[in-house]
Amino acid sequence: MQKQKNGVLHVLANLDIIIAGMTLTILIILTFAGVVWRYVLKAPFTWLEEVHLACIVWIVFAAAGAAFRTGNHVAIEMVADIIPAKFQKSLSVFISVVVVAVIGYLCKNTIGYIQIFAESGRATSMLKIPYTFIYGIALFSYVDMIISYFYSLVKGIKSEVKGAAEIE
């Protein structure tokens, strides 16, 4: 039972990676099929651009939290490394405040856009995919980014570049 519980927790902890991976797989398969249908069978998918849009948005937002959690977001750590050690903690707190403020700002504005999409019933022209579905992932992503950011701070996860530089 404990092993099954750990498996469920592992899946939940990596749900963002799973969603991004599955969406990327769908994107690759549909793109390949689209090329074959367009150039070999001379019958292009007219709806493919809409699915590409949805897939790319979902990949970017689903993987954003995982990037925080694994230290893969772009970071300019040169400034933090050259300041005295006694100020690095203050800089870390300042950076945390900025990260939360920026993600909060993005979340607030995204809620406004999603409300507009929901009220207007706006959807894609061919497949009628609601824009609330396409961009709704962003709200979950912001929460995931905040949780993953603080998880990486608590666990002391460094960016991969910095970690690789320390090994050499």
Side-chain angles (χ1 to χ4, degrees), residues 98-111:
V98 169
V99 166
V100 171
V102 168
I103 293 173
Y105 174 79
L106 292 172
C107 185
K108 178 185 173 288
N109 286 321
T110 300
I111 289 170

Side-chain angles (χ1 to χ4, degrees), residues 49-106:
E49 183 180 347
E50 294 178 1
V51 177
H52 278 162
L53 167 72
C55 285
I56 290 170
V57 168
W58 273 66
I59 290 166
V60 168
F61 279 108
F68 271 118
R69 204 169 49 255
T70 58
N72 285 314
H73 261 297
V74 174
I76 303 171
E77 296 169 339
M78 182 174 63
V79 174
D81 291 342
I82 61 173
I83 66 170
K86 63 182 179 179
F87 296 118
Q88 287 184 359
K89 182 67 176 173
S90 298
L91 181 62
S92 178
V93 170
F94 174 74
I95 290 170
S96 295
V97 168
V98 169
V99 166
V100 171
V102 168
I103 293 173
Y105 174 79
L106 292 172

Side-chain angles (χ1 to χ4, degrees):
M1 181 67 179
Q2 184 66 23
K3 191 172 188 174
Q4 183 181 8
K5 186 177 179 182
N6 287 341
V8 170
L9 289 175
H10 181 72
V11 168
L12 288 175
N14 292 300
L15 191 58
D16 50 2
I17 295 172
I18 294 167
I19 291 171
M22 288 174 31
T23 307
L24 180 60
T25 302
I26 292 167
L27 179 67
I28 290 168
I29 291 168
L30 286 177
T31 301
F32 180 76
V35 169
V36 170
W37 258 257
R38 175 179 294 272
Y39 294 108
V40 176
L41 302 175
K42 305 292 187 211
F45 297 145
T46 56
W47 47 265
L48 193 56
E49 183 180 347
E50 294 178 1
V51 177
H52 278 162
L53 167 72
C55 285
I56 290 170
V57 168
W58 273 66
I59 290 166
V60 168
F61 279 108
F68 271 118
R69 204 169 49 255
T70 58
N72 285 314
H73 261 297
V74 174
I76 303 171
E77 296 169 339
M78 182 174 63
V79 174
D81 291 342
I82 61 173
I83 66 170
K86 63 182 179 179
F87 296 118
Q88 287 184 359
K89 182 67 176 173
S90 298
L91 181 62
S92 178
V93 170
F94 174 74
I95 290 170
S96 295
V97 168
V98 169
V99 166
V100 171
V102 168
I103 293 173
Y105 174 79
L106 292 172
C107 185
K108 178 185 173 288
N109 286 321
T110 300
I111 289 170
Y113 282 116
I114 290 176
Q115 285 175 336
I116 291 170
F117 292 147
E119 290 168 3
S120 68
R122 187 167 175 210
T124 61
S125 59
M126 298 287 294
L127 296 177
K128 304 296 182 208
I129 302 169
Y131 279 102
T132 53
F133 173 77
I134 294 173
Y135 293 105
I137 183 87
L139 298 176
F140 298 103
S141 176
Y142 297 137
V143 173
D144 184 32
M145 281 190 261
I146 295 290
I147 292 168
S148 296
Y149 175 72
F150 285 106
Y151 173 84
S152 68
L153 281 180
V154 169
K155 292 291 185 177
I157 297 171
K158 298 178 183 176
S159 73
E160 285 189 356
V161 173
K162 189 170 185 176
E166 289 176 356
I167 292 173
E168 294 175 7

